[in-house]
Amino acid sequence: MDESAEQPAEAVHGITTGAVARRLGVAPTTLRSWDRRYGIGPAAREDGRHRRWTPGDIAVLQEMCRLTSSGVPPAEAARAARAGSGPAAPTAPAAPVVPTAPARQPGSGNGLPFGDVRQECRGLGRAAVRLDSPTMDEMLGSLISEYGLVTTWEEVMVPTLHAVGRKWETSGDQYVEVEHLLSWHVSTALRRVGIGAGSASRANAPAILLACVPGEQHTLPLEALAAGLAELGLPARMFGAAVPPEALVQAVRRTGPSAVVLWAQARSTAHHALARHIADTAWGVKGARARTTVLLAGPGWAGPAPAPGMLRPGGLREALALLRGLCESAAAAAGAPAQRS
């Protein structure tokens, strides 16, 4: 009887670099770099060129990931991974062989407090702990291209940022540099999305104003929203962190926005009086005064239902849907064609 017929197809033929990268939560370019620099590569190549990774190859990669995540230099980790793996044994029992990883599973290999998250979170977390900027850039760009902005933000960026933040809070002064570097790369990836889609925006449409309430410094959620609006071709004005009330009111009166999004991360910063004042602010000629819709975004606004003229979206996806509808209504009222992607 042919023993290969009883083995999983991947044990016989191997799997591609992209599939291995998704399984381990690392960038494909990292795997290629390890192969080129340290000889951590597949034992066989299809047609002499295409990498096909066997379970034995993947076991070596797993050990390489474990060692580098714990701070071992890559060259030393590669030597240890190769020495500890031994030759691949095709007839070994299937149980110890690396199975196909589910899309979500608990735990992490880098000491970060992940729970039930996507595999890519752990890969991004490992790169952040290593302060590996090239890998973070590669992973974030690839994830946005493959899964889209909203899914990448909600299922990879946010869980990884939260895990690093929790580690920082429980480790004294450690991991501050990890959180700062990861935040920078997330911000850079979001701005690249906005820049790439910027030419599609309708300059003559009423803008959407994005601002953190006074005392609030968390801007990344608004940066994600700005990137999503750019993808939809909807113009936005980003005012950033801790905007003074007077400045925000003046911006509303000067621009006549279709909506104003106020972000509050904590209840201590949520400024309900400011939200009501902006919702009541009017502009335009006498007899045809206009007002804006206020979106209360962020966990700081939890509590009683919003007052009339205010909405409270549950996340990035819902906020984008609400804002698109508001902009289309404003364009229709002004007699302009609505923008559709």
Side-chain angles (χ1 to χ4, degrees), residues 1-18:
M1 181 176 180
D2 184 2
E3 293 183 359
S4 65
E6 299 179 356
Q7 299 181 35
E10 68 179 49
V12 178
H13 304 292
I15 59 177
T16 65
T17 297

Side-chain angles (χ1 to χ4, degrees), residues 307-328:
M310 300 185 199
L311 300 171
R312 190 165 61 217
L316 177 59
R317 194 181 302 273
E318 184 180 350
L320 288 171
L322 288 171
L323 290 169
R324 181 172 185 169
L326 290 170
C327 286
E328 289 177 347

Side-chain angles (χ1 to χ4, degrees), residues 173-194:
D173 292 332
Q174 299 180 20
Y175 286 85
V176 175
E177 73 284 2
V178 176
E179 194 273 342
H180 280 225
L181 190 65
L182 176 61
S183 296
W184 170 256
H185 283 285
V186 168
S187 177
T188 300
L190 294 173
R191 294 192 186 194
R192 282 175 181 158
V193 173

Side-chain angles (χ1 to χ4, degrees), residues 201-223:
S201 295
R202 292 182 294 117
N204 60 341
I208 298 165
L209 304 191
L210 311 177
C212 290
V213 295
E216 181 58 69
Q217 299 292 330
H218 293 80
T219 63
L220 282 179
L222 286 185
E223 293 179 40

Side-chain angles (χ1 to χ4, degrees), residues 40-56:
I40 301 293
R45 298 171 192 266
E46 189 178 73
D47 298 330
R49 296 181 296 106
H50 300 294
R51 297 169 172 85
R52 305 293 297 188
W53 301 78
T54 66

Side-chain angles (χ1 to χ4, degrees), residues 186-286:
V186 168
S187 177
T188 300
L190 294 173
R191 294 192 186 194
R192 282 175 181 158
V193 173
I195 292 171
S199 59
S201 295
R202 292 182 294 117
N204 60 341
I208 298 165
L209 304 191
L210 311 177
C212 290
V213 295
E216 181 58 69
Q217 299 292 330
H218 293 80
T219 63
L220 282 179
L222 286 185
E223 293 179 40
L225 182 56
L229 292 171
E231 282 193 326
L232 294 176
L234 301 176
R237 303 288 182 268
M238 172 61 147
F239 289 89
V243 182
E246 300 82 4
L248 186 55
V249 171
Q250 284 300 316
V252 170
R253 288 174 174 162
R254 292 174 60 186
T255 61
S258 56
V260 176
V261 182
L262 298 177
W263 179 268
Q265 183 74 18
R267 291 191 180 189
S268 59
T269 60
H271 200 315
H272 291 271
L274 175 61
R276 289 192 296 269
H277 184 65
I278 291 175
D280 292 337
T281 299
W283 64 86
V285 297
K286 193 172 183 179

